[in-house]
Amino acid sequence: MDGIKVPEHIAIIMDGNGRWAKKLGLNRIFGHRNGVRAVRETVETCGKIGVKYLTLYAFSMENWNRPSDEIEALMSLLIESVIKETSELDKNNVQLRTIGNLSSFPENVTVKLNQAIEFTSKNTGLVLTLALSYGSRWEITEAVKKIAAKALAQEIEPENINENVIEQYLTTYGMPDPELIIRTSGEQRLSNFLLWQGAYSEFYFPEVLWPDFKKKDLMNAIDEYRRRERRFGKTGEQIKQEKDLI
Ligand code: IPE
Ligand code: IPE
Ligand code: MG
């Protein structure tokens, strides 16, 4: 990797755990358990190749509608993984963060998560953000509420509300937008993930189910990203000219 075109921020919708388990005639939970290995490998690779931000969609707000035994198993797995992985993350200089409506989580989960976040907060390497009970429409609605309250308190003039102001109220404030969003398992939808931040992301939808996602799949995604021409509304000719000038 020459490091030049490695995305600064990669976001992944980790999908296909249930189908992976079903193919083996096993319980969906088994799929989730095997997804942890893919998370580990992806985090390690991103750290090594110089990705600065990795955001993983681990549990959507809509996932609260799943059967309660699956939700309970996912919560236990989350606690277990956070406890098991924190020292390795720390060793690799990874800073853990979360985005989402954490208040909807059981207290034992948030306590463990906050401990891990605090423990790794001084790390300066990869920023690993877990999207947990996250929904983009919820996030934008919360931002609107806060800005409306500010306007009501006359702390901001409505005509001064611009994109930068809105971004300050999003949970991802301070992070660059993801250049690349990957969704595994062949599904081609966002499922309420980073709707604002993904406005200009490149999308990549490999067929591989999340528990089978390996380093080579990540590298394929980055290779594909490097071949894309990001035009941001301009013409291909303009982009070529700009490149020639560099
Ligand atoms: C993604 O895998 C993990 C979570 C949503 C928690 P799924 O559980 O959605 O797997 P499929 O889509 O049923 O295969
Ligand atoms: C979306 O996956 C959220 C995560 C991967 C955590 P789902 O598999 O729940 O999404 P839909 O409902 O099929 O779109
Ligand atoms: Mg799914």
Side-chain angles (χ1 to χ4, degrees):
M1 280 279 145
D2 54 25
I4 293 167
K5 265 199 114 187
V6 174
E8 193 181 7
H9 184 177
I10 298 180
I12 307 183
I13 303 171
M14 308 182 290
D15 200 11
N17 296 352
R19 277 162 283 168
W20 186 89
K22 206 171 162 197
K23 275 205 317 198
L24 298 173
L26 296 162
N27 188 292
R28 299 178 53 81
I29 313 299
F30 192 73
H32 297 312
R33 291 203 153 268
N34 279 274
V36 178
R37 185 214 51 81
V39 171
R40 203 180 294 125
E41 188 165 326
T42 305
V43 170
E44 257 177 46
T45 308
C46 284
K48 276 192 193 135
I49 64 176
V51 173
K52 183 67 191 138
Y53 298 90
L54 173 67
T55 302
L56 299 176
Y57 203 8
F59 193 85
S60 72
M61 258 174 162
E62 290 75 19
N63 286 147
W64 290 114
N65 296 321
R66 291 202 175 186
S68 57
D69 57 340
E70 181 168 345
I71 294 178
E72 275 164 36
L74 280 167
M75 295 301 135
S76 312
L77 182 61
L78 183 59
I79 298 190
E80 196 186 305
S81 309
V82 167
I83 294 174
K84 259 202 214 149
E85 308 290 335
T86 304
S87 66
E88 192 61 25
L89 291 178
D90 188 52
K91 236 194 274 164
N92 291 325
N93 200 19
V94 176
Q95 187 188 118
L96 183 70
R97 295 187 192 170
T98 58
I99 52 172
N101 186 7
L102 279 203
S103 66
S104 52
F105 275 89
E107 205 188 317
N108 56 343
V109 179
T110 44
V111 166
K112 286 286 166 237
L113 270 170
N114 286 331
Q115 282 171 357
I117 289 168
E118 174 63 30
F119 193 71
T120 61
S121 63
K122 303 272 184 317
N123 290 341
T124 54
L126 177 73
V127 175
L128 168 63
T129 304
L130 299 180
L132 293 168
S133 191
Y134 174 85
S136 212
R137 288 183 172 181
W138 161 80
E139 172 182 48
I140 293 168
T141 307
E142 288 303 301
V144 169
K145 275 194 222 163
K146 286 176 195 147
I147 296 168
K150 274 204 136 216
L152 211 58
Q154 300 195 325
E155 287 166 21
I156 189 166
E157 293 291 328
E159 55 269 32
N160 291 336
I161 299 170
N162 56 31
E163 293 184 8
N164 291 337
V165 171
I166 294 173
E167 268 162 13
Q168 283 169 31
Y169 289 90
L170 298 180
T171 58
T172 48
Y173 180 52
M175 285 189 222
D177 289 339
E179 294 98 319
L180 174 63
I181 297 182
I182 301 169
R183 181 174 189 146
T184 57
S185 88
E187 305 296 350
Q188 303 194 1
R189 56 176 174 267
L190 276 176
S191 304
N192 207 4
F193 188 49
L194 303 182
L195 300 182
W196 174 285
Q197 300 85 339
Y200 256 107
S201 302
E202 296 296 329
F203 290 90
Y204 184 71
F205 300 111
E207 291 295 322
V208 61
L209 303 173
W210 179 250
D212 287 332
F213 190 82
K214 300 268 161 43
K215 180 177 176 182
K216 75 163 181 6
D217 298 296
L218 180 67
M219 296 323 249
N220 286 344
I222 294 175
D223 267 356
E224 164 73 28
Y225 163 80
R226 285 153 70 104
R227 281 195 293 272
R228 304 257 178 104
E229 183 178 65
R230 306 188 76 206
R231 290 193 284 274
F232 298 102
K234 295 181 183 172
T235 65
E237 288 73 22
Q238 283 175 295
I239 301 298
K240 201 179 164 305
Q241 262 176 12
E242 286 173 7
K243 272 203 189 126
D244 290 345
L245 284 176
I246 298 172

